[in-house]
Amino acid sequence: MRLTIRAAGPSDVPSLVEIYDRAYHGGYSACFDRYGPSTPQDFWWVQSEKPVFLIDLNQRPGGLIILGKVGRQLLVEEFLIHTPAASREPDGRAQLEETVTNGVHEFLVKKFQDERQDLVTLRCAETNPAGLLLARRHGFSFANALVVASGAVRGEAPAPAGYTIRRASQADARSVARLHEETLRVPVRSEDLHNLSKQSDMRVFLAEREAFPVGLALAQAKDGVGRWTVGVRDAHRHKGLGRALAQETLQFFAARKLTPITTYWALDTEAARFARSLEVRTERTYLYFEKRI
């Protein structure tokens, strides 16, 4: 089995789409941040933003690698392999697995070293056997898991006594930015929120107690789905406020007949508990592995 890894070009787009869809069969894609089957346009876009590599097996397209960045940290966003029919015999499969995992590992280590990074971070769906095999055979350790959940809040979820929920206005941009950083641990510029709030496919909701902002919900309709996020200040949690905020976003999506999705980190116990309380359905889980080099 001969393996080569090369930069993908425009003529490789049909092969990239086929490899990606064979692995995912639609649904939510963390790489493209959208819902549904991949398209040539996805790979035209991603090649302009991120390095994309094609894995050739015996000079035929058999897999792909997509690299991205989280801040300054390089990330293996995707590593997918389609096993040829000839390798389905036990001996052939074992040889292919060894060739691919060793070759891809060597390729990734060199790429990360070229970027002067000493930590290789690999993301793969929990249904991706090639990614899991690479992590196991080459000593990667589990770091976290990103859970993609869909579905609606069951039952009524009114604001708890003493709290009110309203749609945020452009004048609330500073308050929303502070809440976003405090509750979601992600800084955001107030001017960016100001611009987002003006878009027809975006809603920002504020929860208040005695006119003081204590929680927020962000809802955005994009690519046929509704993405939502909720944050509540620590002192106001466990009162049903997060559930009430989530329902505001889901009503916004229901009016547009959109499938609502959200994501959370599995090791964030508060987020996981909140998702379970909403009885949302886990659609896909991405595992993150790390290895020092």
Side-chain angles (χ1 to χ4, degrees):
M1 177 64 67
R2 180 183 175 187
L3 177 143
T4 57
I5 302 174
R6 58 181 176 84
S11 63
D12 297 314
V13 166
S15 296
L16 295 170
V17 171
E18 181 183 0
I19 293 166
Y20 201 88
D21 279 347
R22 191 185 293 270
Y24 280 109
H25 309 290
Y28 176 77
S29 164
C31 184
F32 304 132
D33 189 26
R34 74 173 193 81
Y35 204 88
S38 65
T39 67
Q41 287 75 22
D42 291 323
F43 281 97
W44 283 112
W45 170 80
V46 80
Q47 287 183 91
S48 69
E49 299 288 333
K50 308 171 186 178
V52 181
F53 302 91
L54 196 66
I55 302 173
D56 287 332
L57 303 175
N58 289 340
Q59 298 183 318
R60 299 187 63 180
L64 62 83
I65 297 171
I66 301 175
L67 301 181
K69 280 194 174 181
V70 179
R72 296 182 179 180
Q73 176 65 45
L74 195 63
L75 168 69
V76 184
E77 292 195 0
E78 294 287 359
F79 160 48
L80 303 173
I81 282 287
H82 167 53
T83 305
S87 69
R88 291 175 185 168
E89 292 298 323
D91 291 343
R93 184 168 61 248
Q95 181 183 8
L96 174 64
E97 288 176 351
E98 182 177 1
T99 299
V100 170
T101 55
N102 290 344
V104 169
H105 179 258
E106 182 180 344
F107 172 83
L108 293 176
V109 168
K110 186 177 186 307
K111 283 292 180 186
F112 276 70
Q113 288 175 336
D114 289 345
E115 292 285 331
R116 299 183 178 181
Q117 300 199 15
D118 60 2
L119 182 70
V120 179
T121 305
L122 167 70
R123 179 180 73 194
C124 72
E126 63 177 355
T127 54
N128 179 355
L132 298 176
L133 182 64
L134 174 66
R136 185 174 72 249
R137 286 198 175 176
H138 288 278
F140 284 73
S141 59
F142 173 76
N144 210 335
L146 182 68
V147 182
V148 182
S150 62
V153 177
R154 297 180 184 274
E156 294 297 318
Y163 294 88
T164 58
I165 296 176
R166 63 176 175 85
R167 181 179 174 184
S169 68
Q170 294 178 17
D172 297 310
R174 289 180 182 272
S175 296
V176 172
R178 285 195 294 268
L179 276 170
H180 196 284
E181 182 168 2
E182 179 183 337
T183 63
L184 302 176
R185 308 295 190 266
V186 179
V188 62
R189 299 189 308 172
S190 58
E191 53 265 37
D192 291 338
L193 287 170
H194 175 81
N195 293 331
L196 280 174
S197 67
K198 294 188 293 185
Q199 299 178 11
S200 62
D201 62 355
M202 182 76 183
R203 291 290 186 275
V204 180
F205 299 96
L206 268 181
E208 297 177 323
R209 183 175 179 85
E210 297 178 355
F212 180 73
V214 297
L216 83 164
L218 308 178
Q220 184 175 27
K222 183 180 178 183
D223 299 323
V225 296
R227 294 164 174 78
W228 63 272
T229 304
V230 166
V232 177
R233 285 196 160 109
D234 290 346
H236 302 271
R237 292 179 177 176
H238 311 298
K239 301 176 185 291
L241 187 57
R243 186 181 181 89
L245 281 164
Q247 189 172 68
E248 293 287 343
T249 70
L250 299 176
Q251 289 175 346
F252 170 62
F253 298 138
R256 288 157 176 77
K257 299 181 179 179
L258 298 175
T259 300
I261 63 170
T262 190
T263 60
Y264 63 90
W265 292 105
L267 297 185
D268 183 339
T269 55
E270 278 290 327
R273 181 204 59 78
F274 178 56
R276 287 194 298 270
S277 74
L278 299 181
E279 299 183 57
V280 294
R281 176 178 60 86
T282 298
E283 177 174 317
R284 183 161 289 157
T285 302
Y286 289 92
L287 306 177
Y288 284 69
F289 299 96
E290 296 177 344
K291 178 183 178 179
R292 291 284 174 186
I293 55 174

